[in-house]
Amino acid sequence: MTRTNSDGQTIPAMPRRIREEGSTAAVTHYVETRWPAIGGKDLVPLPEGAFLDPEFADAYQPSHVAYVYVAGSGDTLKAPDQPTGLHGLARRFALPLFKISATASENALARIEDINLERYAGMYEAEAGLACDPGYDNWRLVLIHPSRKPLLGAPVEARPRVIRVVLPSGLSLIGFEKELHERLSPAALRGWIASPAGRRHCADLRLDPREAIRLTGYNTGEGERVSRADEIYIFKPRLDGGRLLTIIERIVHEFVVRDAANDRPSWGWVAPNQGLGVSRFTQLARNASPVA
């Protein structure tokens, strides 16, 4: 997205508009960046009869229910020229950004109320210290658009705003979330923005990538804990809904088949985004410092 003038100076090229004037879409101009996809390049759906095969069907025992949701934030419709929240961040960085996670609540709106109170992802590490952006108290569920129906026999139901999953016995909600985020991680904003591709993208747009490393402040009484907001992904609901469905089906199927083979995975892990002091974020942000 740069060009050279007659004096040999590098100047930014005018990006080509791909949305009409006044569009509230996050990405309104063409950018050369090729976004990563959730699940990675090798993600493929299971065979059509995977959940009917005795290897799965005879071993699967239903347990509790999880609801995978996609959420966005910001007051775009109230102020389309000054988008706030995650939509404002997406507009500035020319990336489709959404929060993806899971909840055990039968009404995912209850989880949305929680993250509104927490102003999830509303902070970042600026030059002068921690900074807050407006609009992160206005989260909402986003319509998911799977490109297909769940496989026959899968304990998965694709609803308009959630994907309902009846987890197999032995797989906790925390374990499911860990595996979900691991498989979504190729498109995690925090990791990608610090990569060479992400740094080039920011350099083309003349943006500081540290602004995209989002944080959440959790008030715990007299003090406040600051943690990384790791559940922000580069995701297009109308194109990537089918990939999200495939990821969920694979987590359930592979867990049951491994368990039946006495090869159940270990779900213990270190949670680096929990309980870190603010000083640690300064070091983390340096890894995504602007390209010179």
Side-chain angles (χ1 to χ4, degrees):
M1 293 181 62
T2 59
R3 59 188 176 91
T4 303
N5 63 16
S6 59
D7 296 326
Q9 298 173 320
T10 299
I11 57 176
M14 289 297 293
R16 175 169 56 87
R17 176 172 284 277
I18 57 175
R19 299 279 187 172
E20 65 180 1
E21 292 283 351
S23 171
T24 59
V27 183
T28 59
H29 292 75
Y30 173 79
V31 291
E32 296 179 355
T33 305
R34 293 296 174 262
W35 303 318
I38 58 171
K41 297 179 181 178
D42 299 329
L43 178 68
V44 294
L46 291 164
E48 288 192 11
F51 291 97
L52 302 177
D53 191 293
E55 184 182 32
F56 177 88
D58 293 347
Y60 171 76
Q61 295 293 326
S63 183
H64 47 281
V65 178
Y67 300 87
V68 177
Y69 65 88
V70 179
S73 71
D75 299 317
T76 307
L77 297 180
K78 294 181 180 179
D81 295 332
Q82 296 179 321
T84 59
L86 189 61
H87 188 84
L89 185 74
R91 176 68 68 88
R92 291 194 297 279
F93 281 82
L95 295 169
L97 300 177
F98 293 91
K99 181 185 190 296
I100 306 176
S101 195
T103 179
S105 174
E106 294 180 1
N107 185 348
L109 289 176
R111 179 57 186 143
I112 296 300
E113 291 176 0
D114 291 343
I115 64 176
N116 277 331
L117 287 174
E118 294 166 347
R119 292 177 48 85
Y120 182 84
M123 304 169 68
Y124 67 97
E125 181 79 15
E127 288 291 344
L130 289 177
C132 296
D133 283 338
Y136 287 88
D137 57 352
N138 188 32
W139 288 91
R140 62 194 179 280
L141 293 176
V142 174
L143 288 170
I144 304 171
H145 297 264
S147 56
R148 61 174 177 83
K149 295 181 179 179
L151 295 175
L152 193 62
V156 177
E157 180 185 353
R159 297 179 176 179
R161 287 180 173 82
V162 296
I163 298 178
R164 182 180 186 271
V165 191
V166 183
L167 298 178
S169 178
L171 178 56
S172 68
L173 175 65
I174 293 177
F176 174 75
E177 282 189 290
K178 174 187 181 296
E179 190 67 13
L180 175 66
H181 292 302
E182 177 65 27
R183 300 190 190 215
L184 294 171
S185 64
L189 176 63
R190 180 184 59 84
W192 182 80
I193 208 72
S195 72
R199 288 158 59 90
R200 286 193 300 270
H201 178 84
C202 293
D204 283 344
L205 298 175
R206 297 193 170 186
L207 293 172
D208 186 342
R210 290 175 295 186
E211 184 185 348
I213 299 180
R214 308 305 299 182
L215 312 172
T216 305
Y218 296 95
N219 185 277
T220 55
E222 298 301 325
E224 186 172 54
R225 187 193 78 204
V226 179
S227 297
R228 292 196 317 236
D230 286 343
E231 297 174 355
I232 306 299
Y233 297 95
I234 302 169
F235 179 81
K236 300 192 76 172
R238 292 186 181 276
L239 295 179
D240 297 332
R243 296 181 69 86
L244 180 58
L245 180 59
T246 293
I247 288 172
I248 294 167
E249 288 176 334
R250 281 198 163 274
I251 292 172
V252 173
H253 187 274
E254 292 172 13
F255 180 87
V256 171
V257 170
R258 283 197 302 253
D259 189 36
N262 294 319
D263 188 27
R264 178 181 292 182
S266 172
W267 295 107
W269 74 96
V270 175
N273 64 321
Q274 297 298 317
L276 295 179
V278 171
S279 61
R280 284 292 306 280
F281 287 110
T282 301
Q283 182 62 41
L284 290 169
R286 288 174 185 167
N287 296 331
S289 57
V291 178

